Amino acid sequence: MRIRVLGPLNADVNGISVVPSAGKPRQVLSLLALYPGQIMPVPTLMEEIWGAAPPVSALTTLQTYILQLRRRLGTAMGPEAPHTAKDVLATRHGGYVLQIPADSTDVHAYERKVREGQAAFEAGDDESAADTLREALALWQGPALVDVRCGPALSIEVLRLEESRLVTVERRIDADLRLGRHCEISAELRDLTARHPHHEGLHSQAMVALYRSGRQAAALDLYRKLRVRLIEELGVEPSPQMQRMHQAMLSVDPALDLATGPRRGSTFDLYAA
């Protein structure tokens, strides 16, 4: 069984889709898929589907959704399968569990690659870090669970995954900057800063990429526009780190150059106190 949640929900057995068309069973499958091998409590599933005020028939209806999912699994597995659908989607005391290996889901493969890439980054192996983190990000096919209506539990999970995705992008860009790929990633950073107009980390990376590409004026203009947005929209000045980076660019600080700058750490922390 293979399940993908980093984009549209996709789950298949022997190449046959087992994703239900109805919204609530899709929520059940999504929540179980995020925690393979772990018991998902009935109250959590009920809250995901109905919120804080489930109907009187909630438990019976949930059991019907589980039965529907098992039927789809059984059809895809076929009569010759060594296990039954009840073995794969098993009932446990207080809940249900999807009995599949963790790496059967794209989210767990993604998180494993992120850990490997982060370890390489911290060890100073920038080439391996950039490659591994790029492989992790390639597993995404769009916003997480983009075609699933998310209740309270799934909304938290989707937010966590999207934040992890952005952090991973930042770390991969840090590795690329340390490898001297500032020209290659300038266009990507231009798009990222447009989509995240208040994100100082991405703006610091874009400023460094522009500066190292011989575009000091463009880097300073990017800072100016960020400062105006932060003041006008949020009523705050850029962080001390951003202000120190701005001053460093004005004074042509050698620490900003690839050849003389520090080889470890993130771009945003370049001028941390």
Side-chain angles (χ1 to χ4, degrees):
M1 185 174 187
R2 304 294 301 178
I3 301 180
R4 294 190 290 276
V5 300
L6 302 179
L9 175 62
N10 187 296
D12 66 78
V13 176
N14 299 325
I16 301 172
S17 175
V18 296
V19 178
S21 57
K24 288 182 172 59
R26 291 168 72 90
Q27 289 174 267
V28 173
L29 177 60
S30 299
L31 204 49
L32 290 167
L34 286 167
Y35 293 94
Q38 299 182 42
I39 298 174
M40 185 57 57
V42 166
T44 301
L45 290 165
M46 291 172 63
E47 182 183 15
E48 166 61 27
I49 297 171
W50 292 288
V56 175
S57 60
L59 181 58
T60 301
T61 305
L62 175 60
Q63 291 169 342
T64 300
Y65 295 154
I66 295 294
L67 179 61
Q68 291 171 358
L69 289 171
R70 283 175 175 158
R71 284 174 178 165
R72 298 184 73 90
L73 281 169
T75 300
M77 291 166 65
E80 305 301 322
H83 303 288
T84 67
K86 290 189 69 173
D87 295 324
V88 177
L89 178 48
T91 302
R92 294 290 183 266
H93 179 69
Y96 300 95
V97 58
L98 199 57
Q99 299 276 46
I100 59 174
D103 266 7
S104 296
T105 65
D106 60 352
V107 66
H108 284 267
Y110 160 76
E111 290 174 340
R112 174 174 52 79
K113 285 186 175 293
V114 167
R115 289 192 297 270
E116 293 171 358
Q118 179 66 29
F121 182 86
E122 292 174 354
D125 186 354
D126 298 327
E127 192 81 47
S128 178
D131 289 345
T132 305
L133 294 176
R134 194 170 275 107
E135 290 172 3
L137 292 166
L139 293 171
W140 287 74
Q141 302 297 313
L145 294 172
V146 65
D147 58 348
V148 176
R149 187 189 71 81
C150 295
L154 282 179
S155 293
I156 292 172
E157 293 296 333
V158 166
L159 179 61
R160 176 183 67 83
L161 288 169
E162 292 294 344
E163 288 180 346
S164 169
R165 183 186 191 183
L166 187 56
V167 169
T168 302
V169 168
E170 284 186 84
R171 187 60 70 242
R172 196 223 80 222
I173 291 172
D174 277 330
D176 282 333
L177 284 171
R178 297 196 317 201
L179 289 164
R181 297 170 177 166
H182 36 271
C183 291
E184 295 95 315
I185 63 175
S186 290
E188 178 187 9
L189 281 165
R190 187 161 55 245
D191 176 65
L192 286 167
T193 52
R195 288 193 284 120
H196 302 277
H198 302 130
H199 197 296
E200 291 193 348
L202 292 172
H203 279 76
S204 71
Q205 292 176 321
M207 288 170 64
V208 168
L210 289 168
Y211 182 90
R212 290 179 178 171
S213 301
R215 303 175 62 190
Q216 181 187 28
L220 294 172
D221 187 56
L222 187 63
Y223 174 85
R224 180 189 62 80
K225 291 177 179 176
L226 170 65
R227 181 173 182 268
V228 169
R229 279 195 301 273
L230 290 176
I231 292 173
E232 291 184 349
E233 298 175 17
L234 302 180
V236 298
E237 289 277 354
S239 67
Q241 288 167 258
M242 287 295 290
Q243 293 182 42
R244 284 192 287 269
M245 178 174 286
H246 177 243
Q247 289 300 316
M249 289 186 175
L250 288 172
S251 62
V252 194
D253 186 345
L256 288 166
D257 295 331
L258 179 65
T260 59
R263 298 291 296 167
R264 300 281 179 95
S266 70
T267 306
F268 186 56
D269 291 336
L270 191 60
Y271 288 94

